[in-house]
């Protein structure tokens, strides 16, 4: 069926050239190639709109197909143009050299299409795979693990796909292929020089692979780096973005989390124990404070019901150190719970036991002498 169609196009082309003898063959060929591109884009637009309407239902089952159609718009358009230009080039009055150029361009476009399809398939796979996990859950440890690993591996795979595509495109040129063989023969010295020049880049690439496998950090982890507290916001192929508590962003290279120590507050779980220190007078009622801490913790929606402990951890010349430990489901709740315990405990001490607040010993001695003088004056009267 294809051969009769090509014969018909050839007869139509001969008739067209006979009608316009003044038009050079290259102009006819250029017009046919342009007409093929326009026809391919038009047919693709019609078919793409039809496919979009078919998968436009609101059913969640069609979400995958809508994403697939939307993501493949560019690759399918390029594929239609390659097919149309290839067909037009076979019937156009091109010389042997011009035909070779067109075929080489089509080969490059086909290689680019394969790379584009691979990147699109990688993105669709990642979207479908991560749909099972949500970072908004209360306990999102598993979700953060899979999201971090998938994003890092996706960037590494995308980099490899781009490199392979460019290499395949360059190998279609004879001159580049010969230079590649020559470079392979002298790869020892050249590889050493390139390796030294690209040492920071290569270090970050290998650090990214190591992070994806070992996962010392994950997306949304609460970390303490460079004496700053924040959450892991983004992990790219070369750097990590930490969203600090005051909405600033700290950007660190990937190798930082492999080579330097840092604190990860959500490595195995999001629950944390927060500490509150108070420095009070030696006469402070420790037993009553312990009961008050239990009341504050049980009344707070931030407490997870696990830890609520009060202990005297140190004695100093003027005060004693009281440490209160309370637990919460995550670092944000732990911080707010610490503030709540601190505020309510101080307010209770000010109201019920003001003598427990720290005072200088000189003040206490002056008060004691004043009491003694008052008593002595009362007896004398």
């Amino acid at each position: 069926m294809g051969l009769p169609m090509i014969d018909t196009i050839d007869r139509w082309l001969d008739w067209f050239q006979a009608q316009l003898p003044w038009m050079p063959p290259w102009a006819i060929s250029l017009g046919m190639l342009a007409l093929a591109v326009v026809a391919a884009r038009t047919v693709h637009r019609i078919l793409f709109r039809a496919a979009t309407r078919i998968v436009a239902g609101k059913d969640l089952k069609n979400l995958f197909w809508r994403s697939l159609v939307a993501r493949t718009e560019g690759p399918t358009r390029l594929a239609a143009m390659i097919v149309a230009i290839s067909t037009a080039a076979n019937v156009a009055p091109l010389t042997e050299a011009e035909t070779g150029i067109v075929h080489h361009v089509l080969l490059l476009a086909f290689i680019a299409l394969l790379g584009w399809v691979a990147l699109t398939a990688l993105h669709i796979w990642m979207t479908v795979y991560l749909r099972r996990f949500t970072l908004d859950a209360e306990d999102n440890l598993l979700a953060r693990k899979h999201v971090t690993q998938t994003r890092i591996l996706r960037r590494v795979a995308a980099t490899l796909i781009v490199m392979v595509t460019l290499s395949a495109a360059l190998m279609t040129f004879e001159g580049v292929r010969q230079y590649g063989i020559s470079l392979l023969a002298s790869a020892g010295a050249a590889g050493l020089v390139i390796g030294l020049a690209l040492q920071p880049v290569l270090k970050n690439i290998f650090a990214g692979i190591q992070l994806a496998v070992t996962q010392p950090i994950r997306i949304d982890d609460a970390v303490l780096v460079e004496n700053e507290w924040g959450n892991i916001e983004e992990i790219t192929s070369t750097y990590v973005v930490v969203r600090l508590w005051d909405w600033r962003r700290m950007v660190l290279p990937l190798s930082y989390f492999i080579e330097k120590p840092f604190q990860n507050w959500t490595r195995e779980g999001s629950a944390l124990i927060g500490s509150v220190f108070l420095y009070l007078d030696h006469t402070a009622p420790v037993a009553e404070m312990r009961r008050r801490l239990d009341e504050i913790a049980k009344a707070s929606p931030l407490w997870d019901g696990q830890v609520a402990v009060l202990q005297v951890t140190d004695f100093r010349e003027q005060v004693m150190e009281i440490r209160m430990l309370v637990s919460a489901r995550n670092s944000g709740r732990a911080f707010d719970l610490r503030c709540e315990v601190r505020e309510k405990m101080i307010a209770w001490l000010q109201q019920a036991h003001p003598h427990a607040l720290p005072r200088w010993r000189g003040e206490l001695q002056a008060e004691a002498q004043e009491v003694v003088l008052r008593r002595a004056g009362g007896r004398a009267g």
Side-chain angles (χ1 to χ4, degrees), residues 62-332:
N62 292 330
L63 182 60
F64 168 76
W65 296 106
R66 289 201 300 269
S67 176
L68 179 63
V69 171
R71 275 283 171 184
T72 55
E73 178 182 5
T76 53
R77 183 192 299 117
L78 179 59
M81 293 172 59
I82 291 175
V83 173
I85 293 175
S86 177
T87 303
N90 290 330
V91 298
L94 296 171
T95 63
E96 185 177 354
E98 293 171 347
T99 302
I101 294 175
V102 172
H103 286 169
H104 191 216
V105 172
L106 290 175
L107 177 60
L108 294 175
F110 181 73
I111 294 174
L113 176 62
L114 292 180
W116 197 351
V117 169
L119 291 175
T120 302
L122 180 65
H123 178 82
I124 294 175
W125 171 83
M126 189 192 76
T127 303
V128 174
Y129 178 75
L130 293 181
R131 191 180 299 166
R132 299 177 294 172
F133 309 99
T134 174
L135 294 175
D136 298 331
E138 186 69 29
D139 187 7
N140 58 359
L141 178 62
L142 183 64
R144 291 187 288 106
K145 175 181 178 181
H146 285 274
V147 168
T148 302
Q149 195 171 44
T150 304
R151 288 184 179 178
I152 294 177
L153 293 179
R154 174 183 174 270
R155 290 189 175 96
V156 173
T159 303
L160 293 177
I161 290 173
V162 172
M163 292 177 61
V164 171
T165 302
L166 290 177
S167 300
L170 290 176
M171 291 300 290
T172 60
F173 297 92
E174 280 297 329
V176 175
R177 188 183 306 169
Q178 293 176 359
Y179 288 136
I181 296 175
S182 301
L183 287 176
L184 287 177
S186 58
L192 180 61
V193 173
I194 294 175
L196 292 175
L198 298 179
Q199 184 179 3
V201 178
L202 296 176
K203 182 170 65 174
N204 282 324
I205 291 176
F206 286 112
I209 298 175
Q210 188 173 354
L211 282 178
V213 175
T214 60
Q215 292 193 343
I217 57 173
R218 305 182 185 95
I219 297 294
D220 204 37
D221 265 348
V223 295
L224 184 66
V225 290
E226 300 292 326
N227 295 323
E228 296 279 3
W229 181 86
N231 294 89
I232 301 296
E233 183 178 48
E234 183 182 3
I235 303 177
T236 69
S237 56
T238 55
Y239 61 87
V240 176
V241 179
V242 182
R243 183 183 69 254
L244 302 181
W245 65 273
D246 56 358
W247 296 354
R248 290 178 295 147
R249 264 62 174 179
M250 179 181 291
V251 181
L252 299 168
L254 278 178
S255 56
Y256 178 93
F257 295 93
I258 300 298
E259 299 173 352
K260 296 185 179 181
F262 64 95
Q263 295 184 27
N264 189 336
W265 292 7
T266 54
R267 178 68 177 87
E268 297 295 337
S270 58
L272 287 176
I273 296 177
S275 59
V276 177
F277 289 90
L278 293 180
Y279 297 91
L280 304 175
D281 189 79
H282 296 151
T283 60
V286 177
E288 294 185 33
M289 291 179 63
R290 187 172 287 115
R291 289 192 294 269
R292 180 56 183 166
L293 175 62
D294 291 337
E295 295 174 0
I296 295 174
K298 292 177 180 178
S300 175
L302 302 174
W303 188 50
D304 63 355
Q306 298 296 321
V307 178
V309 179
L310 185 147
Q311 295 173 318
V312 179
T313 54
D314 194 12
F315 273 103
R316 301 182 183 178
E317 182 180 358
Q318 302 292 338
V319 295
M320 65 177 177
E321 182 182 79
I322 303 293
R323 186 185 70 176
M324 294 175 285
L325 300 179
V326 286
S327 60
R329 294 179 181 177
N330 54 53
S331 58

Side-chain angles (χ1 to χ4, degrees), residues 5-67:
M5 183 180 295
I6 294 177
D7 293 338
T8 303
I9 295 176
D10 287 335
R11 288 195 298 270
W12 178 84
L13 182 60
D14 294 337
W15 176 85
F16 186 77
Q17 286 181 316
Q19 298 297 322
L20 299 174
W22 51 270
M23 182 175 290
W26 64 267
I28 298 176
S29 302
L30 187 61
M32 292 186 63
L33 294 177
L35 183 62
V37 171
V38 173
R41 291 179 62 89
T42 303
V43 172
H44 174 269
R45 185 180 298 110
I46 295 173
L47 296 178
F48 181 77
R49 288 181 179 178
T52 303
R53 291 192 186 97
I54 293 174
V55 299
K58 296 182 179 180
D59 190 357
L60 293 177
K61 295 181 179 179
N62 292 330
L63 182 60
F64 168 76
W65 296 106
R66 289 201 300 269
S67 176

